[in-house]
Amino acid sequence: MNPTPARLPRFRYGILSGALLALLSAPIAFAAPPAPPSLSVQAQSWVEVEPDQATLTARLWENTPAVSSLEDTDNDALGEARERLENRASELIAAMEELGLERRAVNAGSLNVYPDHVPAPRSENGDQEMMQRTRLERPFSIELTNLDQLGDVLNALIGVGVNALDGVQFDLQDRDAATDEALVKALEKARHKADLMASTLEAELGHVQRIEETQSPIFQPRMMAMRAESDAAGSGEQGDYRPGTIRIDAGVNVEWTLKGPDAPDRQDRNVAAQE
């Protein structure tokens, strides 16, 4: 007699009881509550501030006499050129100190030495030979925390015979305060827009759900190009150096919940605004 048919009902019973047990032990799934309506606002703002610091860059240089490209520069000529350069550098520093600048405000760069090629006068047959000389150069940077001194400093630099004025960089002594102000203004503008939209739609703002920067405050010092002109030095005129303003932009995106019976009830339950 085959025993398999006698055990089959018991096997089926085991399957049914296991399925029933799994069904009873499974957690009951509840539908998630609908998300509250929200309002997302994007705003940008900026501040314009007047710089209160400036850095001037200038250069002094001396050249050795030009010689034929086949000749080497005389060591004595190099020494004399360096001595002249160091004397002029000392005069420049002394002129800055006479204006009341501290020594640490004048930064004298390292000595640079490099070859310089210049054309010689043309010969009778029209030929022109290239001559070579050696240039010894020292860069200077001067930091000002009183911009009223800018004109006097520029005139003093020209007075000591500076060879090049490379420009003026206007800056702020406290950058963080200016960037914070730009960010606060962007947040205030976002709140104003959110209040206006909510009141127009007869809703009420709830708590803030999300805040993000869409544009971090960026600070860029303002540059003013300059040149040392012999005519300006001879005229003795006081130039008008207006630094203008520095603009700092900031942007934010803020999301609020909306509450109250009159809150907008759309399918996506969201209201968004961008500027």
Side-chain angles (χ1 to χ4, degrees), residues 161-183:
V162 67
N163 295 101
L165 284 173
D166 296 322
V168 181
Q169 177 177 280
F170 294 103
D171 206 332
L172 296 175
Q173 299 182 48
D174 189 355
R175 294 186 179 186
D176 291 339
T179 55
D180 288 349
E181 183 181 355
L183 185 58

Side-chain angles (χ1 to χ4, degrees), residues 237-259:
E237 297 180 357
Q238 179 71 33
D240 184 12
Y241 306 106
R242 299 182 181 180
T245 59
I246 298 174
R247 173 167 166 159
I248 304 172
D249 295 89
V252 295
N253 186 19
V254 186
E255 184 176 347
W256 285 267
T257 59
L258 291 175
K259 59 183 181 179

Side-chain angles (χ1 to χ4, degrees), residues 56-59 153-155 157-158 162-168 225-229:
L56 294 82
T57 54
R59 286 175 292 156
V153 169
L154 290 172
N155 289 337
L157 289 174
I158 295 175
V162 67
N163 295 101
L165 284 173
D166 296 322
V168 181
M226 311 196 71
R227 293 182 60 188
E229 299 286 353

Side-chain angles (χ1 to χ4, degrees), residues 54-60 87-108 139-146 149-162 164-165 168:
T55 301
L56 294 82
T57 54
R59 286 175 292 156
L60 291 174
N87 290 337
R88 294 176 60 200
S90 298
E91 292 176 3
L92 186 151
I93 294 174
M96 296 301 102
E97 291 179 346
E98 288 179 3
L99 293 176
L101 273 67
E102 297 181 3
R103 179 174 288 271
R104 62 182 179 86
V106 182
N107 180 25
F140 286 83
S141 64
I142 303 167
E143 295 183 0
L144 296 178
T145 54
N146 180 7
Q149 294 179 303
L150 179 57
D152 294 333
V153 169
L154 290 172
N155 289 337
L157 289 174
I158 295 175
V160 298
V162 67
L165 284 173
V168 181

